């Protein structure tokens, strides 16, 4: 180890490191491609397997649409009963619809209160608003279960709606408040100075500006409610929603019927999001 | 407040009684806007948490019933949770620390292990930390590529492609992972070309499966905040560092990475919190040895039927979350403001 032997280990390491970083862009591109493959390959495989002409194997045996045809015709495919799935779907839509209406109205009002006013206890309230987003769903679901049990409210679709509104208010409030923060309030003052009443100001000035935020909040609320499993699982009693039905199917293993249901859920949720993007532009 | 009133008088030419009226009006507006949400969150979020907190001080009766009368209240559940039989608090802390150190030293330090509940909690935290580290290692380069190297016209598209899976159903995505990890799937058969790997062997019901599931579900939450900070970085600083003699690695380590730290902290919290509190992922992908504290809590309210212990475990889990958020407020937000 003398200088005459050439550069030492440290220097050689440094040079290798530097060379690696010069190749950086290519390696980063490779890494990014791998991340996208990781995100999309499982979903792709799931969709492809729903067209697989085999009752059990995970190996491709040829293209078929017979699982779709059977389920849509009302036949039971490998334990998956389409009638039960349809009832569960109806519950999911009912819960999500009521939840979205209530939580969008309440959450938007809350966003106004938080954006436009300073009041004692505001920091505490902000903490409470963020908590349903942050705390584990299982804690939220079980605490509601204990509460309903203690108060003596029977479980069902109505209790699920109560729970969903409780977490969706927060999501709507956060999204709408973000939109309000960039709202130019002199527009409202101008409207009022020009003689608009408070309601007219809201209808013709404020709401059109914050509408994308409200729509985004409502869609987020819909997605959260429609997709929620954990909270619903504990507070819906013996009723089913689509995620709960799906969960019980998944537990029994992989089957063509489950693949079809999964693909249909995937297509519907992504269609809702795509529609939202198309109407409002990028909502994130 | 006072300056606001005077400015109002200036701009609108109002004074005296008119200002009072406006102030009352504002107050009414605040109350009306606030009341519905405050009512809902109070009655259906805070009070249930309070009920759960109260239960955590109760006891389990001989026949599995819950005893929450005043005469039963106490710290029994928390003692059961943290302190092994016949030990005192100091010994319990020592057993816990020794148990952790025993992972790196080859000899036994303490006579007794901590309670199974403490072991489970620490194991869940370890899952959360692993998921966070893997998400960071895998997600940071991708976020860097999207924010810095990708042509600007593709950045939005690339971001949408990261967010899109988040909008797809949570359970469906876990099911998709389950398909890939099952025996004889495309992936498990392809892994057979590696030496020492049996083709088609199932990867399901293992710790690895849980970890893959956690990273798969939450990695978008790491990429997004990291991208957001990298996109804001003034990269002339990196050039300056290199002009001053730093090589690419040093410029990254000492300039770029510290500037992206708020995003890294935010992303880490966003991955760590839901990963540690996970319930569905270990339930569907894990085996008996890879259950987490969320499964334990659910079990106490189901088959095991010990509601007070389950409540106490819930508040221990919430304590872990609060600690994580405290770290975030200390290191994350402070730097980004």
């Amino acid at each position: 180890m003398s200088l005459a032997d050439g550069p030492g280990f440290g220097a050689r390491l440094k040079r290798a490191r530097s060379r690696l970083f010069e190749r950086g862009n290519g390696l980063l591109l490779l890494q990014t491609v791998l991340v996208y493959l990781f995100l999309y390959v499982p979903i792709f495989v799931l969709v492809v397997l729903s067209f697989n002409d085999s009752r059990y194997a995970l190996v491709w045996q040829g293209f078929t649409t017979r699982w779709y045809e059977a389920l849509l015709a009302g036949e039971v495919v490998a334990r998956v009963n389409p009638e039960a799935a349809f009832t569960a779907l109806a519950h999911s839509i009912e819960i999500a619809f009521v939840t979205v209406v209530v939580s969008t109205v309440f959450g938007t009002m809350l966003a106004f209160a938080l954006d436009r006013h300073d009041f004692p206890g505001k920091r505490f309230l902000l903490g409470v608003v963020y908590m349903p987003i942050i705390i584990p769903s299982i804690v939220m679901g079980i605490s509601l279960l204990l509460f309903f049990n203690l108060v003596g409210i029977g479980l069902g679709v109505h209790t699920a709606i109560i729970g969903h509104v409780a977490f969706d208010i927060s999501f709507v409030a956060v999204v709408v408040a973000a939109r309000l923060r960039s709202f130019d309030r002199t527009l409202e003052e101008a409207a009022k100075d020009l003689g608009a009443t408070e309601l007219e100001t809201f209808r013709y000035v404020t709401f059109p500006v914050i509408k994308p935020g409200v729509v985004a909040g409502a869609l987020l609320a819909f997605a959260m409610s429609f997709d929620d499993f954990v909270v619903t699982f504990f507070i819906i009693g013996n009723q089913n929603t689509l995620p709960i039905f799906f969960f019980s199917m998944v537990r029994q293993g992989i089957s063509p019927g489950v693949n079809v249901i999964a693909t249909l859920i995937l297509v519907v949720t992504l269609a809702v999001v795509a529609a939202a993007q198309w109407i409002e532009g990028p909502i994130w | 407040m006072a300056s606001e009133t005077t400015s109002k008088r200036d701009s609108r030419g109002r004074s005296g009684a008119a200002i009072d009226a406006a102030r009352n009006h504002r107050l009414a507006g605040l109350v009306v806007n606030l009341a519905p949400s405050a009512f809902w969150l109070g009655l259906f979020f805070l009070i249930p948490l309070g009920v759960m907190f109260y239960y955590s001080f109760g006891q389990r009766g001989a026949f599995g019933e819950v005893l929450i009368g005043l005469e039963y209240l106490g710290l029994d559940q928390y003692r059961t949770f943290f302190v092994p039989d016949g030990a005192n608090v100091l010994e319990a802390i020592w057993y816990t620390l020794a148990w952790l150190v025993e992972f790196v030293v080859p000899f036994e330090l303490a006579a007794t292990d901590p309670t199974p509940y403490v072991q489970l909690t620490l194991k869940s935290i370890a899952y959360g930390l692993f998921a966070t580290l893997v998400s960071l290692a895998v997600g940071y380069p991708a976020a860097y590529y999207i924010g810095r190297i990708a042509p600007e016209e593709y950045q939005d598209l690339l971001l949408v492609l990261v967010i899109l899976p988040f909008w797809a159903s949570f359970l469906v995505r876990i099911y998709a992972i389950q398909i890939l990890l099952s025996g004889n799937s495309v992936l498990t058969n392809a892994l057979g070309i590696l030496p020492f790997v049996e083709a088609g062997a199932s990867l399901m019901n293992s710790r690895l499966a849980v970890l893959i599931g956690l990273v798969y579900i939450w990695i978008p939450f790491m990429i997004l905040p990291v991208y957001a900070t990298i996109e804001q970085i003034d990269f002339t600083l990196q050039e300056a560092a290199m002009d001053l003699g730093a090589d690419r690695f040093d410029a990254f380590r000492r300039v770029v990475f510290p500037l992206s730290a708020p995003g890294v902290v935010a992303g880490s919290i966003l991955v760590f919190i839901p990963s540690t509190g996970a319930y569905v992922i270990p339930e569907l992908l894990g085996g008996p040895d890879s259950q987490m504290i969320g499964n334990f809590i659910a079990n106490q309210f189901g088959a095991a039927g010990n509601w007070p212990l389950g409540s106490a475990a819930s508040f221990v889990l919430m304590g872990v979350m609060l600690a994580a958020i405290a770290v975030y407020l200390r290191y994350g937000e402070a730097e980004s403001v």
Side-chain angles (χ1 to χ4, degrees):
Chain A
M1 260 305 268
S2 73
L3 281 173
D5 294 332
F9 178 71
R12 261 185 294 167
L13 182 77
K14 231 175 166 174
R15 202 174 300 160
R17 213 173 60 185
S18 180
R19 225 173 292 143
L20 191 71
F21 265 70
E22 266 153 43
R23 299 266 174 85
N25 289 4
L27 291 174
L28 281 173
L29 175 63
L30 180 67
Q31 162 73 15
T32 309
V33 168
L34 288 177
V35 168
Y36 283 106
L37 284 178
F38 175 56
L39 285 174
Y40 284 94
V41 163
I43 296 175
F44 177 76
V45 169
L46 161 72
V47 173
V48 167
L49 283 182
S50 75
F51 294 101
N52 189 9
D53 193 7
S54 155
R55 186 164 274 273
Y56 305 105
L58 286 156
V59 181
W60 183 250
Q61 303 228 318
F63 179 86
T64 182
T65 54
R66 69 179 162 126
W67 310 121
Y68 284 88
E69 285 159 20
L71 279 173
L72 291 176
E75 286 169 42
V76 177
V77 174
R79 293 185 309 270
V80 178
N81 181 350
E83 210 174 303
F86 192 76
T87 315
L89 172 69
H91 282 151
S92 278
I93 291 177
E94 182 190 344
I95 293 170
F97 185 76
V98 180
T99 300
V100 166
V101 173
V102 177
S103 59
T104 305
V105 174
F106 286 11
T108 305
M109 289 163 78
L110 176 63
F112 269 94
L114 290 174
D115 183 65
R116 310 235 155 148
H117 299 273
D118 267 317
F119 48 90
K122 185 172 174 179
R123 281 182 66 87
F124 173 74
L125 183 73
L126 265 177
V128 173
V129 170
Y130 277 105
M131 260 174 88
I133 304 177
I134 293 166
I135 73 166
S137 317
I138 190 161
V139 174
M140 188 162 175
I142 286 177
S143 67
L144 278 165
L145 168 71
L146 290 177
F147 173 75
F148 292 136
N149 181 62
L150 192 74
V151 180
I153 300 176
L155 302 178
V157 169
H158 55 287
T159 44
I161 291 173
I162 289 175
H164 285 205
V165 172
F167 63 72
D168 269 348
I169 283 178
S170 299
F171 283 102
V172 174
V174 168
V175 173
V176 176
R179 184 90 195 176
L180 275 175
R181 221 167 291 141
S182 60
F183 181 85
D184 180 2
R185 243 186 285 171
T186 54
L187 290 175
E188 283 179 354
E189 300 210 347
K192 283 184 190 156
D193 285 347
L194 292 171
T197 66
E198 200 134 323
L199 274 179
E200 284 169 341
T201 308
F202 181 78
R203 169 73 186 77
Y204 293 108
V205 177
T206 315
F207 187 69
V209 176
I210 64 161
K211 195 174 140 209
V214 176
V215 171
L219 281 164
L220 187 63
F222 186 90
M224 291 292 163
S225 168
F226 192 77
D227 198 35
D228 180 75
F229 168 73
V230 179
V231 175
T232 322
F233 182 65
F234 289 101
I235 58 172
I236 200 168
N238 51 17
Q239 307 282 351
N240 266 357
T241 61
L242 200 55
I244 293 173
F245 173 79
F246 186 71
F247 180 79
S248 63
M249 290 294 115
V250 172
R251 266 197 157 167
Q252 296 172 28
I254 294 157
S255 87
V258 184
N259 292 346
V260 170
I261 299 277
T263 306
L264 292 177
I265 296 176
L266 208 63
V267 170
V268 171
T269 47
L270 289 182
V272 169
V273 176
Q277 303 264 352
W278 186 62
I279 296 167
E280 284 297 338
I283 51 177
W284 274 73
Chain B
M1 197 70 199
S3 66
E4 202 186 319
T5 6
T6 34
S7 75
K8 222 171 226 165
R9 194 204 315 250
D10 291 343
S11 67
R12 296 261 186 91
R14 291 191 284 183
S15 62
I19 291 176
D20 279 348
R23 197 178 295 151
N24 285 337
H25 186 78
R26 262 178 75 77
L27 185 67
L30 169 66
V31 170
V32 167
N33 277 333
L34 208 55
S37 302
F39 167 78
W40 205 284
L41 287 173
L43 186 60
F44 298 122
F45 180 67
L46 285 185
I47 289 181
L49 280 182
V51 168
M52 196 180 206
F53 196 51
Y54 186 78
Y55 267 80
S56 75
F57 296 108
Q59 289 179 24
R60 179 172 182 263
F63 306 102
E65 76 275 24
V66 183
L67 307 173
I68 49 167
L70 279 177
E71 70 271 29
Y72 299 111
L73 293 188
L75 289 168
D76 280 4
Q77 302 306 331
Y78 292 97
R79 195 175 305 135
T80 311
F81 198 96
F82 284 112
V83 186
D85 279 339
N88 61 36
V89 173
L90 278 178
E91 284 168 331
I93 294 171
W94 162 240
Y95 294 153
T96 307
L97 290 175
W99 188 72
L100 284 175
V101 176
E102 278 168 20
F103 278 100
V104 276
V105 299
F107 46 90
E108 298 245 328
L109 285 166
T112 315
D113 283 340
T115 63
Y117 315 113
V118 169
Q119 294 183 21
L120 183 66
T121 309
L122 294 173
K123 217 171 78 179
S124 302
I125 293 173
Y127 272 112
L129 288 175
F130 265 116
T132 306
L133 285 177
V134 175
S135 300
L136 180 64
V138 174
Y140 192 99
Y144 188 91
Y145 182 83
I146 300 171
R148 168 83 174 128
I149 299 163
E152 208 145 308
E153 65 262 38
Y154 293 124
Q155 284 193 4
D156 282 345
L157 177 70
L158 289 172
L159 268 190
V160 168
L161 285 176
V162 171
I163 300 160
L164 206 57
F166 167 77
W167 285 102
S169 167
F170 178 78
L171 280 174
V172 169
R173 283 187 292 150
I174 296 170
Y175 177 64
I177 285 286
Q178 185 171 341
I179 288 181
L180 270 191
L181 298 182
S182 299
N184 280 322
S185 73
V186 189
L187 177 75
T188 46
N189 278 325
L191 286 178
I193 60 165
L194 297 174
F196 311 116
V197 179
E198 186 193 338
S202 172
L203 298 173
M204 278 286 296
N205 305 323
S206 64
R207 294 174 190 182
L208 179 68
V210 174
L211 190 63
I212 291 175
L214 291 172
V215 173
Y216 180 62
I217 295 292
W218 301 117
I219 197 172
F221 282 16
M222 177 66 83
I223 296 179
L224 291 179
V226 172
Y227 161 82
T229 49
I230 285 179
E231 209 246 333
Q232 304 280 322
I233 290 174
D234 178 3
F235 275 91
T236 54
L237 292 171
Q238 182 202 27
E239 284 162 28
M242 287 169 69
D243 286 346
L244 292 172
D247 68 355
R248 282 171 189 277
F249 177 78
D250 282 327
F252 174 76
R253 184 170 64 95
R254 300 180 61 173
V255 178
V256 177
F257 190 77
L259 286 171
S260 65
V264 171
V265 175
S268 300
I269 295 299
L270 287 175
V271 174
F272 175 77
I273 286 183
S275 297
T276 305
Y279 162 65
V280 176
I281 295 173
E283 189 77 19
L284 288 180
L285 301 179
D289 72 328
S290 40
Q291 297 297 294
M292 294 168 66
I293 188 167
N295 309 89
F296 173 78
I297 293 170
N299 198 31
Q300 296 309 306
F301 289 90
N306 193 344
W307 290 21
L309 183 61
S311 302
S314 301
F315 277 91
V316 172
L317 177 59
M318 301 247 285
V320 175
M321 311 275 139
L322 284 180
I325 292 165
V327 170
Y328 169 64
L329 292 177
R330 173 80 179 72
Y331 297 103
E333 214 175 48
E335 283 180 51
S336 67
V337 169

